[in-house]
Amino acid sequence: QSVLTQPPSTSTTPGQSVTISCSGSSFNIGNNYVHWYQQLPGTAPKLLIFRNNQRPSGVPDRFSGSKSGTSASLAISGLRSDDEGDYYCAAWDDSVTAWVFGGGTKLTVL
Amino acid sequence: DVQLLESGGGSVQSGGSLRLSCAASGFTFSNYAMSWVRQAPGKGLEWVSAISGSGTIPYYTDSVKGRFTISRDNSQNTLSLQMNRLRAEDTALYYCTKVFWVGVKAIPPDAFDIWGRGTIVTVSS
């Protein structure tokens, strides 16, 4: 059972948009930054969004993040087949002095 | 080019030990906290341990406290994870990661902006 809660999977079609949710508590999301990682099949995770809504250099603006209270969301627009993979949210948790991850959401682009 | 390269993984019996290493390049290693994140087969990501840039402050997830020791050699730009009393549930792909913000005397609770390719640890019972 992960500290942060994400839907296990979501699917959509090319060109559409999707939003992946991440729910936590006041100890983690409510009081700290949320970060999102993308893990494409067979590869290492990659930082996609940091500090709630910041994109690292090279990440297209199709990807955006937001946070409200103890929840956060990752939005992806103009979906492409090569966006298929697993997406993880993460945050620092003050109660356990540790980084915590969501269980991951498997995105399928049919 | 910023790069992290892990090594030291392998197969070991339950109760055994392994030492993982991570060679860093392309950034001022001593300025940044570093971390290990693992991923069990078919499972999600789990943070394991982190260490400040100076090497004086370590953090561990509860399940590895007392068994794993994180360390770093800033003269060699190398991060290490000594893993003792290994258990079957430690079986995973172990990633070396860099913490985004500068953290010499502390570990900033920030994103992991650089990831290595990982090294596989298999513990048989």
Side-chain angles (χ1 to χ4, degrees), chain B residues 8-83:
Chain B
S11 295
V12 64
Q13 288 200 324
S14 180
S17 300
L18 276 176
R19 186 177 182 86
L20 306 185
S21 294
C22 171
S25 60
F27 63 99
T28 305
F29 183 67
S30 59
N31 282 355
Y32 295 92
M34 299 292 292
S35 180
W36 292 94
V37 175
R38 67 185 178 185
Q39 186 170 33
K43 302 296 184 182
L45 301 174
E46 179 188 24
W47 172 75
V48 176
S49 181
I51 190 168
S52 61
S54 63
T56 56
I57 300 174
Y59 286 160
Y60 301 95
T61 191
D62 284 347
S63 64
V64 309
K65 283 179 183 175
R67 301 188 300 122
F68 290 11
T69 302
I70 191 170
S71 61
R72 63 192 295 159
D73 183 343
N74 287 343
S75 69
Q76 299 291 318
N77 290 353
T78 301
L79 174 73
S80 297
L81 185 68
Q82 177 65 43
M83 304 186 297

Side-chain angles (χ1 to χ4, degrees), chain A residues 34-98:
Chain A
V34 178
H35 318 291
W36 291 91
Y37 301 91
Q38 176 193 58
Q39 187 174 33
L40 302 178
T43 70
K46 166 192 164 186
L47 180 61
L48 195 63
I49 296 288
F50 67 101
R51 297 183 181 181
N52 304 334
N53 54 19
Q54 303 299 301
R55 280 187 306 275
S57 173
V59 173
D61 60 7
R62 300 189 297 110
F63 297 91
S64 63
S66 63
K67 176 184 131 173
S68 177
T70 59
S71 294
S73 295
L74 171 70
I76 313 172
S77 63
L79 276 158
R80 302 162 23 162
S81 58
D82 59 3
D83 292 328
E84 279 200 346
D86 297 317
Y87 292 80
Y88 296 90
C89 60
W92 178 259
D93 191 301
D94 296 321
S95 68
V96 292
T97 316

